[in-house]
Amino acid sequence: MLDLAERVGLSATPCGRRVKRMEDAGIIKGYAARIDPVALGLTVSVLCSVRLARHGTEGTEQFLSAIAKRPEITECLLVAGNVDYVLRIWVRDLDALGTFIRDVLQSIPAVAETTTMVILKHDNPYWKAAR
């Protein structure tokens, strides 16, 4: 709290009260640790777009249920456009990526097509701050 108070130009007590009010109001939903995937041996990050074969409740639930069990997937975004979902996936290497795409994603009956983009460099300021 002292570091936050210093950054926003308040003393610790008023800063703590403001944070508490934001927590109570639901503005601050929680706190989390930023994990360095590379420290866990996960050196390849990809964005994978997924187009579903079946768009009804059954196909969507089948897809979401299957991917919910996969720790490699760190983000799942429902998007508008010519694909249905974009996934952020972390794996140890390209061989693991190929196995994951082939044996996991493409084996889900509701999945019609996947397209994978390997991330070559992270230029996001948030990412740099996490390292």
Side-chain angles (χ1 to χ4, degrees):
M1 194 58 66
L2 291 174
D3 288 340
L4 177 61
E6 186 177 308
R7 283 183 175 194
V8 298
L10 294 172
S11 64
T13 301
C15 183
R17 283 195 296 262
R18 287 185 183 186
V19 167
K20 176 72 171 126
R21 282 196 308 265
M22 287 189 283
E23 290 170 344
D24 292 344
I27 296 167
I28 296 176
K29 295 285 188 189
Y31 299 90
R34 291 187 303 205
I35 306 297
D36 182 357
V38 175
L40 296 174
L42 304 173
T43 61
V44 175
S45 178
V46 302
L47 296 176
C48 183
S49 62
V50 177
R51 191 172 54 80
L52 297 182
R54 294 179 278 168
H55 289 92
T57 304
E58 181 183 330
T60 301
E61 287 178 2
Q62 181 186 65
F63 171 72
L64 293 175
S65 176
I67 68 164
K69 302 170 188 169
R70 302 308 307 205
E72 298 92 341
I73 300 172
T74 59
E75 290 181 74
C76 175
L77 306 167
L78 175 64
V79 297
N82 54 351
V83 299
D84 299 302
Y85 290 91
V86 174
L87 307 176
R88 164 78 76 137
I89 301 169
W90 284 92
V91 291
R92 70 180 181 282
D93 56 31
L94 291 177
D95 287 336
L97 174 62
T99 300
F100 182 81
I101 297 296
R102 182 186 61 248
D103 297 349
V104 176
L105 280 184
Q106 292 178 345
S107 72
I108 301 169
V111 172
E113 180 181 326
T114 64
T115 304
T116 304
M117 297 166 279
V118 176
I119 297 173
L120 300 176
K121 184 177 179 187
H122 296 266
D123 284 329
N124 182 334
Y126 177 79
W127 172 257
K128 289 178 184 175
R131 292 189 150 265

